[in-house]
């Protein structure tokens, strides 16, 4: 599910690069916080005024999105949680994905604790990955604030017109939640879903 998206997120912390076979290999993965070999972001990264604590969701990433909201978005099947591990596409942090069977649409949420622990967390990490020479991120654009929290659109390229919207939500200066809405009709449709999931995530964290 969402293989291209996983590759893009992998680029943030692991420095993944594509090989001729089309897979991703991690290179120069930092071994401790603050050692990520990335250029400093340009300085226009929005700060998070009131950080949110996501600690309790590290082991329950599916709990970040309210069930009522998922039902409204027609995701009736349980989400598929994946823990953070050494697989390249899962180094960014624990994630949860939902799919609508027979519809081709899906939502993926990643809690970027792996990026944070590697010194590449938050919206600053997204910005730095975009600015990295020859990096996989070729698209970065400010997104509307979500319940008072800053956000960015980012991707390997701008795929929003094709119904694939990727968003990073800053919940602390060093921690972001990435939301991916895939397989929708177009930019407005997919990004509306991403924004709604982001808003639901903020509400969950505020009530935790």
């Amino acid at each position: 599910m969402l293989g291209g998206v996983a590759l893009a997120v992998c680029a943030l912390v692991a420095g993944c690069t594509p090989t001729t076979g089309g897979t991703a290999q991690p290179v120069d993965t930092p071994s401790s916080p603050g050692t990520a070999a990335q250029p400093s972001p340009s300085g226009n990264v929005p700060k998070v005024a009131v950080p949110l604590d996501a600690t309790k969701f590290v082991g329950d990433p599916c709990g970040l999105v309210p069930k009522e909201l998922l039902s409204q978005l027609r995701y009736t099947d349980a989400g598929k949680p994946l823990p953070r591990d050494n697989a390249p596409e899962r180094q960014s942090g624990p994630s949860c994905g939902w799919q609508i069977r027979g519809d081709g649409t899906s939502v993926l949420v990643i809690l970027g604790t792996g990026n944070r622990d590697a010194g590449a967390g938050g919206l600053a990490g997204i910005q730095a990955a975009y600015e990295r020479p020859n990096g996989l991120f070729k698209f970065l654009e400010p997104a509307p604030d979500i319940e008072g929290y800053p956000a960015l659109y980012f991707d390997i390229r701008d795929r929003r017109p094709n119904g694939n919207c990727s968003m990073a939500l800053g919940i602390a200066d060093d921690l972001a939640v990435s939301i991916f809405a895939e397989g929708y009709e177009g930019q407005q449709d997919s990004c509306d879903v991403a924004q709604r999931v982001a808003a639901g995530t903020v509400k969950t964290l505020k009530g935790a």
Side-chain angles (χ1 to χ4, degrees), residues 2-200:
L2 301 174
V5 171
L7 178 63
V9 178
C10 170
L12 182 56
V13 63
C16 295
T17 56
T19 67
T20 54
T23 59
Q25 298 294 331
V27 295
D28 299 328
T29 304
S31 58
S32 61
T35 62
Q38 300 188 62
S40 298
S42 58
N44 58 354
V45 179
K47 297 294 185 180
V48 178
V50 183
L52 296 170
D53 184 3
T55 304
K56 67 178 291 185
F57 295 99
V58 171
D60 180 27
C62 296
L64 284 167
V65 186
K67 291 182 179 179
E68 179 182 359
L69 174 60
L70 290 167
S71 179
Q72 292 172 2
L73 296 174
R74 299 190 298 117
Y75 290 98
T76 56
D77 290 348
K80 179 181 179 181
L82 290 173
R84 175 192 172 194
D85 60 27
N86 290 327
E89 68 273 18
R90 295 196 292 273
Q91 290 184 23
S92 291
S95 66
C96 189
W98 295 265
Q99 288 183 300
I100 300 176
R101 285 180 292 179
D103 190 78
T105 54
S106 59
V107 166
L108 175 68
V109 173
I110 301 176
L111 180 60
T113 53
N115 294 337
R116 178 194 62 193
D117 296 346
L123 299 186
I126 298 284
Q127 180 84 34
Y130 170 73
E131 294 176 351
R132 180 190 300 150
N134 301 317
L136 288 179
F137 291 162
K138 305 299 183 184
F139 168 69
L140 186 74
E141 182 178 292
D145 282 1
I146 304 295
E147 301 290 326
Y149 286 81
L152 296 171
Y153 294 123
F154 74 103
D155 210 329
I156 52 176
R157 63 183 184 279
D158 188 0
R159 302 182 305 131
R160 296 175 300 174
N162 297 326
N164 305 303
C165 189
S166 305
M167 169 183 283
L169 170 70
I171 60 172
D173 287 340
D174 64 349
L175 184 60
V177 177
S178 298
I179 298 120
F180 306 91
E182 300 265 317
Y184 286 86
E185 292 297 323
Q187 178 170 329
Q188 182 173 348
D189 193 21
S190 59
C191 288
D192 176 69
V193 170
Q195 290 175 22
R196 291 176 67 183
V197 170

